[in-house]
């Protein structure tokens, strides 16, 4: 895969507490050092409207369909305003979560109908080139019990972070299903190691795929 001729779309996934955030910044830095222009963004969010929807989704009680619709509405705005223009410019787009999180959290965690999620995915992510999806998805894999221990030392939990371990076991299953359906897109990164070891795994996987020079 050429990383200079066209845009590159990389998403970061994993249950809360898996520790993806520091690696997003490090990867952005590395791509920039290699002369790539980087767009660093997140979901839900990435535009003023989508950030407003994020605040609602993370803090307000709502039924599962409303939650799914708001997440996809945020994604639609984010794709149109930020992701598609950035890819058209040839940027590397590093996105903290994307649609796999919807299948994992709303589908796996909440038990919402994944057939409906698939329909929304096709409506929202249609582009002239077909279904817009990440080129590579980095999945930080961590036992939900270890993630829960990490989170218990963190800040005030939002609507998802306050869920019990069983919820995150279902979220994990949701990610597992997405990974099995698109194994060529997913890179699994064991996240129960030191930060340095996680980074080394990530970097070497991206070099092997030709994504990093
Ligand atoms: P997260 O990405 O973990 O950000 P922070 O590090 O600031 O907490 O938080 C986003 C939360 O939103 C996370 O708990 C997963 C949830 N989420 C969904 O439920 N569905 C989605 O489609 C996305 C993108 C996120």
């Amino acid at each position: 895969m050429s990383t200079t001729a066209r845009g590159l779309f990389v998403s970061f996934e994993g249950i809360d507490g898996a520790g993806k955030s520091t690696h997003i910044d490090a990867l952005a830095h590395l791509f920039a050092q290699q002369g790539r222009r980087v767009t660093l963004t997140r979901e839900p969010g990435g535009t003023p409207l989508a950030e407003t929807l994020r605040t609602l989704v993370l803090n307000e009680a709502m039924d599962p369909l409303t939650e799914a619709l708001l997440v996809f509405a945020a994604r639609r705005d984010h794709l149109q305003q930020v992701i598609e223009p950035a890819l058209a410019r040839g940027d590397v787009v590093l996105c903290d979560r994307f649609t796999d999180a919807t299948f994992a959290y709303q589908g796996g965690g909440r038990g919402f109908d994944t057939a409906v999620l698939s329909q929304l995915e096709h409506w929202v992510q249609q582009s002239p080139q077909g279904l817009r999806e990440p080129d590579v998805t980095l999945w930080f894999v961590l036992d939900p019990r270890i993630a829960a221990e990490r989170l218990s030392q963190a800040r005030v939990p939002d609507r998802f972070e306050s869920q019990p371990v069983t919820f995150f076991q279902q979220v994990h299953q949701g990610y597992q299903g997405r990974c099995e359906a698109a194994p060529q897109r997913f890179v699994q990164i064991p996240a129960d190691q030191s930060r340095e070891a996680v980074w080394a795994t990530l970097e070497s996987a991206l070099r092997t795929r030709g994504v990093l020079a």
Side-chain angles (χ1 to χ4, degrees):
M1 182 191 304
S2 163
T3 55
T4 50
R6 63 175 194 81
L8 177 74
F9 185 10
V10 183
S11 64
F12 292 71
E13 297 286 358
I15 59 173
D16 289 271
K20 59 190 162 47
S21 300
T22 55
H23 298 292
I24 300 178
D25 292 337
L27 191 58
H29 188 67
L30 186 53
F31 272 117
Q33 273 182 336
Q34 295 186 352
R36 294 300 303 262
R37 191 179 147 147
V38 177
T39 291
L40 193 56
T41 190
R42 70 172 182 179
E43 290 216 343
T47 69
L49 173 60
E51 289 290 333
T52 301
L53 295 176
R54 176 192 179 93
T55 303
L56 297 175
V57 168
L58 295 191
N59 298 297
E60 302 293 329
M62 61 186 75
D63 88 296
L65 175 57
T66 307
E67 191 176 288
L69 291 171
L70 290 184
V71 166
F72 270 113
R75 180 161 302 132
R76 175 72 181 174
D77 192 53
H78 189 210
L79 275 165
Q80 289 204 309
Q81 306 290 336
V82 174
I83 296 176
E84 292 295 353
L87 292 174
R89 285 195 300 267
D91 284 16
V92 175
V93 175
L94 301 182
C95 193
D96 189 348
R97 301 190 183 282
F98 197 64
T99 306
D100 298 312
T102 313
F103 281 80
Y105 281 79
Q106 280 65 53
R110 300 271 193 237
F112 187 72
D113 188 346
T114 52
V116 175
L117 298 181
S118 293
Q119 286 188 328
L120 292 170
E121 178 182 33
H122 281 84
W123 272 95
V124 166
Q125 290 164 231
Q126 214 46 252
S127 81
Q129 296 81 37
L131 187 74
R132 173 61 75 191
E133 287 194 296
D135 298 302
V136 181
T137 295
L138 301 173
W139 177 25
F140 294 74
V141 184
L142 187 65
D143 184 324
R145 287 165 303 184
I146 300 175
E149 269 171 41
R150 288 187 186 173
L151 280 181
S152 64
Q153 291 143 26
R155 65 232 146 151
V156 183
D158 62 34
R159 279 179 70 233
F160 297 102
E161 290 163 343
S162 56
Q163 293 291 324
V165 172
T166 49
F167 176 86
F168 289 104
Q169 280 160 346
Q170 290 162 359
V171 172
H172 175 86
Q173 291 306 320
Y175 277 127
Q176 187 70 46
R178 289 287 279 185
C179 179
E180 282 164 15
Q184 70 295 342
R185 175 165 65 82
F186 272 79
V187 175
Q188 291 190 53
I189 300 175
D192 57 345
Q193 328 165 62
S194 68
R195 189 175 291 182
E196 293 73 24
V198 170
W199 173 252
T201 308
L202 185 164
E203 203 182 356
S204 110
L206 291 182
R207 286 198 206 284
T208 304
R209 286 175 161 244
V211 169
L212 269 174

